Amino acid sequence: DTEVTQTPKHLVMGMTNKKSLKCEQHMGHRAMYWYKQKAKKPPELMFVYSYEKLSINESVPSRFSPECPNSSLLNLHLHALQPEDSALYLCASSQGARDNEKLFFGSGTQLSVL
Amino acid sequence: QKEVEQNSGPLSVPEGAIASLNCTYSDRVSQSFFWYRQYSGKSPELIMSIYSNGDKEDGRFTAQLNKASQYVSLLIRDSQPSDSATYLCAVPDSGGGADGLTFGKGTHLIIQP
């Protein structure tokens, strides 16, 4: 089973809303990632959790708040977003050691901020 | 910051021909290389990984790595219309840690029936 599940698949929110994106994997992977992808651009790394601890924050604005409740779950809390934050948000996971580098992506959440 | 360069295309290839996708990278110490396929509106899907110089074959896909030239390529034999997608080349942001991947901008491949 190489599945990473993301919900919701689509999300429309206003600039004053608070919403959360959810990600789940049951592959026993110990690293989980959030990427942001704008149309016709490559994915850009936002956050990395390794063994449930935030290990990388790529200078992401504080209106994006990640959370890793346990080794299988990853959330991204959204608050006071801007229209330019509209993008495909991708969750990924990887297992330990050498295969830390091999990322498996979820289907993504297409976010539109109005 | 590592750099991964790809020709954005579009690369148009007739059905049944060989599609050749190229990627160069800036960091000479990179040891692992990945090819992802991404259909429009979908998420990236890992199709090949390569760690050693030379060729690695998996079905219709062959990855080729030349570390001296800092060059990695993907060949798709007997191209099918279903191969039409954007192909992303990626290298790890560090050696062996969970630091994520740096992606190239991707090559848009079109297989013409």
Side-chain angles (χ1 to χ4, degrees), chain A residues 18 23 27 40 44-45 54-55 62 79 81 86 101:
Chain A
K18 286 184 181 182
C23 177
M27 296 179 280
K40 300 191 185 302
E44 294 181 346
L45 184 64
L54 183 63
S55 59
S62 60
H79 174 55
L81 294 192
S86 298
E101 304 162 335

Side-chain angles (χ1 to χ4, degrees), chain A residues 49-113:
Chain A
Y49 274 85
S50 181
Y51 291 87
E52 301 167 45
K53 291 189 183 342
L54 183 63
S55 59
I56 294 178
N57 176 341
E58 291 286 1
S59 302
V60 179
S62 60
R63 58 186 183 269
F64 296 91
S65 176
E67 178 194 20
C68 188
N70 60 54
S71 60
S72 299
L73 295 174
L74 185 66
N75 299 321
L76 186 63
H77 303 297
L78 315 173
H79 174 55
L81 294 192
Q82 304 298 309
E84 60 265 28
D85 296 321
S86 298
L88 179 66
Y89 288 84
L90 297 162
C91 174
S93 69
S94 67
Q95 56 186 227
R98 178 64 174 275
D99 286 330
N100 254 343
E101 304 162 335
K102 193 179 290 185
L103 266 56
F104 295 93
F105 285 90
S107 57
T109 295
Q110 187 65 57
L111 173 67
S112 297
V113 182

Side-chain angles (χ1 to χ4, degrees), chain A residues 35 37 42 98 101-103 106, chain B residues 32 36 38 43 51 96 101:
Chain A
Y35 277 82
Q37 187 176 26
R98 178 64 174 275
E101 304 162 335
K102 193 179 290 185
L103 266 56
Chain B
S32 307
Y36 284 81
Q38 186 171 25
S43 63
Y51 305 99
L101 299 174

Side-chain angles (χ1 to χ4, degrees), chain B residues 33-110:
Chain B
F33 305 88
F34 303 95
W35 283 100
Y36 284 81
R37 176 176 64 197
Q38 186 171 25
Y39 294 112
S40 180
K42 303 296 184 182
S43 63
E45 174 191 9
L46 179 66
I47 56 172
M48 289 289 284
S49 58
I50 187 166
Y51 305 99
S52 305
N53 276 331
D55 294 0
K56 178 182 178 183
E57 187 174 318
D58 184 0
R60 295 188 296 112
F61 298 99
T62 298
Q64 299 176 318
L65 175 59
N66 183 326
K67 291 185 180 179
S69 300
Q70 295 177 237
Y71 178 92
V72 58
S73 65
L74 179 70
L75 302 179
I76 306 175
R77 291 183 300 282
D78 188 23
S79 298
Q80 303 296 312
S82 59
D83 295 324
S84 297
T86 295
Y87 289 81
L88 299 161
C89 175
V91 299
D93 285 338
S94 72
D99 292 337
L101 299 174
T102 293
F103 290 87
K105 293 183 178 180
T107 298
H108 182 204
L109 175 66
I110 299 172

